[in-house]
């Protein structure tokens, strides 16, 4: 880490906070998640590993439909990849259950996908059913903070080649989030500021008029935060240094207790009447 902004980082491109840098690297023109091979070309999640996962989601969807007293239910897959989970669930649901399937993904619709799947870049509003976000929140870009030698949390800035330096002090809502959910105590400790993930999850929960929202992700909770954060990269099946140039995935574990609290508030806020949320690692 070059905390002066001199030497190692000079001449290597524009310095940006990790949230902005990751947004461009993952979802900008030629971003990692817009590549034709999709996430499955670089790593496997539960969706890709076994049809058992899709079967479990199909059973949960069936239970949600029963609780709603309907034989027509929505399934919203947030961060749908190339539609692998929806394809598996549609094949596994029992006869007689009509599923309105929504794939929420920024990449283009893949060729040959089941025509029953509605492909869209944003979460539909007012649906009744199950919203399922499998390893989505870890790819919602966030800023990184580090405690300097004087005990001040500062934003970590990054150059396109992955070189880092300390930037401005963390203030405002980000500072409040750190104090509440991930306080830094010793110089050099780092945290991923999860406020954008909390807000994204609250919006997802609020999109339901009734039903259940579920997030599944790599996670940690208060009392067991990793002292130096978890930001990393993945490329072609291997963990690599996080470099925000579009060549690799950029991911960090989720403060899922903070997201769950935000989702619970959204579920009880009227706009999501009849909706519930759950979050788990």
């Amino acid at each position: 880490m070059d905390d002066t902004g001199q030497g190692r980082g000079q001449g290597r491109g524009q310095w940006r906070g990790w949230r902005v840098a990751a947004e461009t690297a993952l979802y900008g023109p030629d971003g990692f998640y817009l590549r034709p091979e999709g996430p499955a070309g670089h790593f496997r999640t539960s969706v890709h590993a076994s049809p058992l996962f899709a079967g479990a989601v199909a059973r949960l969807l069936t239970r949600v439909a029963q609780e709603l007293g309907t034989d027509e239910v929505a399934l919203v897959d947030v961060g749908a990849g190339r539609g692998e989970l929806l394809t598996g669930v549609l094949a596994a649901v029992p006869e007689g259950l009509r599923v309105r399937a929504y794939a929420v993904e920024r990449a283009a619709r893949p060729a040959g996908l089941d025509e029953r799947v509605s492909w869209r870049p944003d979460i539909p509003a007012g649906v009744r059913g199950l919203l399922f976000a499998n390893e989505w929140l870890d790819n919602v870009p966030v800023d990184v903070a580090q405690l300097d030698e004087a005990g001040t949390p500062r934003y970590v800035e990054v150059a396109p080649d992955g070189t880092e330096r300390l930037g401005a002090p963390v203030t405002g809502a980000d500072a409040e989030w750190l104090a509440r959910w991930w306080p830094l105590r010793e110089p050099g400790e780092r945290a991923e500021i999860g406020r954008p993930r909390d807000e994204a999850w609250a919006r997802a929960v609020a999109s339901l008029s009734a039903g259940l929202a579920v997030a599944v992700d790599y996670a940690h909770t208060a009392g067991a935060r990793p002292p130096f954060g978890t930001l990393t990269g993945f490329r072609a099946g291997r963990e690599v240094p996080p470099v925000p140039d579009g060549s690799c995935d950029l991911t960090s574990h989720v403060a899922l207790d903070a997201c769950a609290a935000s989702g619970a508030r959204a579920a009880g806020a009227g706009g999501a009447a009849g909706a519930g949320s759950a979050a788990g690692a």
Side-chain angles (χ1 to χ4, degrees):
M1 169 73 69
D2 176 2
D3 62 3
T4 66
Q6 303 297 318
R8 246 166 42 93
Q10 291 295 324
R12 300 195 182 192
Q14 179 184 8
W15 292 103
R16 297 179 293 177
W18 266 108
R19 182 181 180 185
V20 173
E23 176 69 29
T24 301
L26 296 179
Y27 305 113
D30 301 318
F32 178 83
Y33 274 96
L34 304 188
R35 293 185 171 193
E37 72 272 18
H42 294 270
F43 51 82
R44 285 157 59 89
T45 70
S46 301
V47 172
H48 309 117
S50 167
L52 295 176
F53 190 78
V57 175
R59 290 192 295 274
L60 178 60
L61 179 64
T62 302
R63 191 176 78 187
V64 169
Q66 292 170 343
E67 292 176 353
L68 292 175
T70 181
D71 60 1
E72 182 175 349
V73 67
L75 173 59
V76 182
D77 182 9
V78 186
R82 297 302 180 266
E84 298 93 342
L85 177 60
L86 287 173
T87 298
V89 172
L90 288 173
V93 293
E95 291 187 15
L97 181 62
R98 293 175 292 167
V99 179
R100 289 177 286 110
Y102 299 91
V104 180
E105 180 59 60
R106 299 201 203 185
R109 182 188 183 98
L113 183 66
D114 192 313
E115 64 181 13
R116 291 174 292 176
V117 176
S118 173
W119 194 270
R120 52 187 298 149
D122 54 358
I123 298 174
V127 300
R128 301 176 76 246
L130 174 63
L131 181 144
F132 201 84
N134 184 62
E135 297 188 31
W136 166 55
L137 290 169
D138 68 295
N139 289 125
V140 173
V142 294
D143 276 311
V144 177
Q146 179 171 320
L147 201 66
D148 68 13
E149 292 298 326
T152 299
R154 293 183 176 274
Y155 291 106
V156 176
E157 298 178 340
V158 62
D161 67 352
T163 305
E164 293 181 332
R165 71 178 186 185
L166 295 187
V170 179
T171 59
D174 284 347
E176 294 173 3
W177 189 93
L178 280 179
R180 169 65 180 87
W181 292 107
W182 198 336
L184 300 174
R185 307 189 187 285
E186 299 292 336
E189 287 189 353
R190 289 166 63 118
E192 289 96 34
I193 304 173
R195 186 171 61 85
R197 294 170 175 175
D198 298 354
E199 294 170 353
W201 183 238
R203 289 192 297 271
V205 172
S207 72
L208 291 174
S209 63
L212 179 67
V214 176
V216 180
D217 231 307
Y218 296 98
H220 45 70
T221 57
R225 306 287 191 214
F228 303 107
T230 62
L231 178 64
T232 191
F234 283 94
R235 183 193 303 116
R238 296 181 179 273
E239 188 171 8
V240 297
V243 178
D245 62 359
S247 69
C248 65
D249 185 24
L250 298 171
T251 177
S252 57
H253 294 195
V254 181
L256 213 52
D257 49 348
C259 290
S262 184
R265 289 192 296 272
S277 71

